Amino acid sequence: MSSSPSRPERGRNATRSRRSASGRPERPRRSGPDGTASPGRPGAATAVRERSAPGERRRDGDGLDRLRILLAATMGAVLLGYTMLVPVAALVALSGAAPVTADGALATAVPMWLAAHQIPIALDGRPLGVLPLLPTLIVVALVATASSWAVRRLGGRVRHDAGAVVATQAGAAAAVAVLAGALLPKEMAVTAPWASLLGAGVIGGGAAGIGVLRACGLPAAWRRVLAGWPGAALAAVRVAVTGLVLVAALVLLGGLVLNVTSVAAAAGHLGPGPGAGFGVLLLTLGYLPNALVGALSWALGAGVSLGAATSGPLLAEPGPLPSFPLVATLPVTAVPPGAPLVLLLPLAVGVLAGIACRRALPAGTPLPGRLAAPVTAAIVVATGAALLATVTGGPLAGGPYDPVSLHGGAVFGAALLLVGLPLLGVCAGPEAARYLPVGGGPAGLRPGRDADAGRRPSAADRARAARADRAARPAPPTVGDLVERRRTSGGASSRQESSDPDPDPDRERDDSAEPDPHE
């Protein structure tokens, strides 16, 4: 009696009775939602579905994590900037021999935070618009660092993460500025409520944009655009900005060295004691970037004005000056003998920027691109210098030194003239000269197209001359012309040549010989 395979026991899953080749029972397999077998581990199908859709955020904490990172970056930058100003406020109070308390230092740091965001404040109704730039630079560095950290934690994607970081930084700075303006003491007030919202938002958003670009780099679309002449314009802007900063530093250093006696006397008059001297030192350091911008305006020929007094390399008008070390460097009684030579420094900066722009241009760039790169760079540099000059100046509490003006419009024109023209001439001058008529010659004559131009023709000129020579030569005969010429050359000669059986070319026929009389 043959034995039949045993059936699985009743009530037991059939898959549990199956055994593998090694004799061990196989693990049960469960059907997924699409009917395919999936491993028997509970929840494996759900994990596979989650991994198959990476674009979907299935974790409930993703949104909360992003919010936590954004809040930490924005509030961290605001609180850290405010906290750094509290000890500075205490030191300023100590330098003036005033009692220092925690509440007083915290209250004094509020208007200092607003001044760091370039928000004008009125003291007893008198507007104060000349605010130090050094705290502003520190705030920009803090916000840029916090934004760089936040965008890296969010994933470092420009399109998905950068916008959220910039928007939250700008919104948080604007909101805190409005709140801080409402918390000012009675003797202080913000000159314009919209200035708090706009000034803090622009500084916070701009600093966040700098941090985001440092962390993520330029987008691919921007890099493609910068591969042409815009990249050369950017290189020229970098060289021009660096050169102008060095020029301003040299002019300021020269003024301090040449007027060291006046600077020391002004510092001693303003801060006679050690504590007061330390306060004057802090105030001088805070206004040091303002002095650099003033030195740049002076080097460009626009000059600096404080009330009725004006100082520049081409003009000087006497007037009362405040007893401040950085102001003591301005010559207002007369123009120094060698002061006009300072104008050569911006010209040298323009030449260097033009060389950098010319080297950065891709090979084969047409003339419109060679003109657009230096023109764009000159406009950007002039606009930035004029904007800095405008922001640095302003009202000075309505006193005898009011207003402080760095002549933003004159700075714009001087930068275009002294920096932009050399930049344009060095970068695109040789190429643009080919399209200008030569003096004394016929209209439309271009250098390089005539032997009398006074210079060696270029490769392009030689190619154009070769094409003109080929066009002047007679055209070669066509097949039709050859057929017609052979048809009209004479039928007798053609038939005689075709009937000659001897292909020897040395055999000659004398058609003019007399016939033989014996024939």
Side-chain angles (χ1 to χ4, degrees):
M1 184 175 181
S2 64
S3 61
S4 60
S6 60
R7 295 182 178 179
E9 297 180 5
R10 182 175 298 177
R12 180 178 298 178
N13 194 352
T15 57
R16 298 181 59 184
S17 62
R18 288 181 295 184
R19 295 181 178 271
S20 61
S22 60
R24 296 180 180 179
E26 293 183 352
R27 299 186 63 179
R29 298 182 177 271
R30 302 182 183 182
S31 300
D34 54 352
T36 60
S38 61
R41 181 171 54 86
T46 307
V48 170
R49 287 196 302 271
E50 289 181 357
R51 288 195 298 268
S52 63
E56 301 178 6
R57 293 199 302 265
R58 296 187 177 274
R59 292 185 301 170
D60 296 333
D62 278 349
L64 295 178
D65 291 342
R66 292 178 65 87
L67 181 60
R68 176 179 59 82
I69 293 172
L70 292 175
L71 287 178
T74 52
M75 300 312 299
V78 171
L79 293 177
L80 185 58
Y82 175 75
T83 306
M84 291 179 62
L85 294 174
V86 173
V88 177
L91 290 175
V92 171
L94 282 175
S95 64
V100 179
T101 60
D103 295 341
L106 291 173
T108 308
V110 174
M112 294 179 67
W113 189 90
L114 292 174
H117 287 77
Q118 296 298 310
I119 299 174
I121 300 174
L123 302 174
D124 294 330
R126 299 178 179 180
L128 179 61
V130 184
L131 302 175
L133 289 177
L134 182 61
T136 304
L137 297 178
I138 295 175
V139 168
V140 169
L142 287 176
V143 175
T145 304
S147 303
S148 179
W149 171 83
V151 77
R152 286 195 185 99
R153 290 294 303 272
L154 292 176
R157 299 167 296 180
V158 177
R159 294 187 177 181
H160 297 82
D161 306 322
V165 174
V166 174
T168 52
Q169 289 286 359
V176 174
V178 173
L179 180 60
L183 297 177
L184 289 175
K186 295 181 179 180
E187 63 273 10
M188 296 183 183
V190 177
T191 57
W194 60 267
S196 301
L197 187 67
L198 183 61
V202 169
I203 291 179
I210 294 174
V212 164
L213 289 180
R214 287 188 59 189
C216 302
L218 295 177
W222 293 15
R223 289 196 296 270
R224 288 193 296 268
V225 171
L226 293 177
W229 65 262
L234 182 60
V237 168
R238 288 198 297 263
V239 173
V241 169
T242 304
L244 291 178
V245 170
L246 291 178
V247 167
L250 288 176
V251 171
L252 180 59
L253 182 61
L256 290 173
V257 171
L258 295 177
N259 302 277
V260 62
T261 305
S262 302
V263 171
H269 177 75
L270 190 60
F278 184 71
V280 172
L281 178 61
L282 289 179
L283 194 61
T284 303
L285 291 177
Y287 278 96
L288 188 59
N290 302 60
L292 281 175
V293 179
L296 176 61
S297 177
W298 200 90
L300 289 173
V304 180
S305 299
L306 285 86
T310 302
S311 177
L314 303 176
L315 177 65
E317 295 182 1
L321 292 177
S323 180
F324 191 66
L326 295 176
V327 179
T329 60
L330 295 175
V332 295
T333 56
V335 177
L341 297 177
V342 177
L343 300 177
L344 297 177
L345 297 177
L347 289 174
V349 171
V351 171
L352 294 177
I355 293 174
C357 184
R358 186 176 182 86
R359 291 180 177 178
L361 280 172
T365 303
L367 183 61
R370 289 189 175 274
L371 292 175
V375 168
T376 303
I379 292 176
V380 170
V381 171
T383 303
L387 183 61
L388 280 177
T390 304
V391 171
T392 304
L396 196 60
Y401 319 117
D402 186 18
V404 177
S405 176
L406 273 66
H407 311 287
V411 168
F412 180 82
L416 284 180
L417 180 64
L418 298 178
V419 180
L421 286 184
L423 197 159
L424 177 62
V426 173
C427 182
E431 285 75 13
R434 301 177 186 175
Y435 296 87
L436 297 177
V438 178
L445 184 62
R446 300 176 185 177
R449 291 196 175 187
D450 191 47
D452 299 332
R455 69 174 185 86
R456 185 178 180 181
S458 62
D461 299 332
R462 291 194 296 269
R464 284 192 292 266
R467 287 195 297 268
D469 293 342
R470 287 195 298 269
R473 295 175 184 175
T478 61
V479 177
D481 297 337
L482 294 176
V483 171
E484 185 67 22
R485 185 182 306 173
R486 189 171 184 82
R487 182 181 302 171
T488 59
S489 61
S493 299
S494 300
R495 285 193 299 271
Q496 186 177 0
E497 292 177 359
S498 59
S499 61
D500 189 2
D502 188 4
D504 187 4
D506 296 332
R507 180 180 179 183
E508 298 179 358
R509 286 181 171 271
D510 190 2
D511 297 336
S512 61
E514 296 181 359
D516 189 359
H518 299 283
E519 289 183 356

